[in-house]
Amino acid sequence: MSIFSNDIEEKARQIIAAYSANGRMVSTAESCTGGLIVGALTEISGSSAVVDRGFITYTNEAKMEMLGVARDTLKAYGAVSRETALQMAHGALFRSRAHVSVAATGIAGPGGGSAEKPVGLVHLAAKSRNGELIHREMRYGDLSRDEVRLATVHTALDMVLELSHSA
């Protein structure tokens, strides 16, 4: 029995099937999800052929050290921003053997939000080696922490599926 819902598990199965059929790999860069995206993928048998690695970069220092996110980006835009998510996806892609990466950074709550960046705001980015790039700004609302994190996993898996054709 999976620790994830049936719909998350089904999306993960689709990713493992699509990417393994083409000999492609995936990496993740996660902040607010704390490894749940890579966890959903590795829940599926056969994932070792597809999942290269997952970067869990909760602090700004980890984002800079592990993924190469620029200090200036974090200073100017903050950790929860389009710019940071894009740099996280880039770092996860080019610091791995993956063909596609996905990154998530956001405010899961219940605290930590502001007027400009409310609880439930998550920026996601997915990037393929052929240059295709997707960014999504999600405003899930003031859900529970678990609900924001699981909604982010859903969105991230959708984005990886979207890029499966270009990997």
Side-chain angles (χ1 to χ4, degrees), residues 114-137:
S114 68
E116 295 106 23
K117 296 183 180 185
V119 170
L121 171 65
V122 180
H123 284 273
L124 298 100
K127 186 171 186 166
S128 71
R129 287 219 181 240
N130 73 6
E132 195 168 352
L133 182 64
I134 304 170
H135 166 261
R136 293 212 175 116
E137 178 181 315

Side-chain angles (χ1 to χ4, degrees), residues 15-16 19-20 23-30 37-39 41-42 44 46-56 66-67 89-102 129 160:
I15 290 166
I16 300 305
Y19 281 78
S20 63
R24 305 290 193 208
M25 299 190 92
V26 175
S27 65
T28 68
E30 304 183 57
I37 300 166
V38 78
L41 292 170
T42 59
I44 307 303
S47 60
S48 60
V50 173
V51 178
D52 181 51
R53 65 193 75 187
F55 298 91
I56 301 169
M66 295 174 71
L67 299 171
H90 181 85
L93 186 63
F94 292 103
R95 292 177 183 217
S96 72
R97 298 179 304 139
H99 300 86
V100 167
S101 68
V102 65
R129 287 219 181 240
V160 172

Side-chain angles (χ1 to χ4, degrees), residues 23-80:
R24 305 290 193 208
M25 299 190 92
V26 175
S27 65
T28 68
E30 304 183 57
S31 186
C32 62
T33 49
L36 289 173
I37 300 166
V38 78
L41 292 170
T42 59
E43 187 76 12
I44 307 303
S45 178
S47 60
S48 60
V50 173
V51 178
D52 181 51
R53 65 193 75 187
F55 298 91
I56 301 169
T57 56
Y58 217 67
T59 65
N60 286 350
E61 290 75 18
K63 289 173 182 67
M64 291 184 292
E65 290 170 14
M66 295 174 71
L67 299 171
V69 174
R71 182 178 307 277
D72 290 346
T73 298
L74 292 165
K75 240 181 191 172
Y77 304 102
V80 180

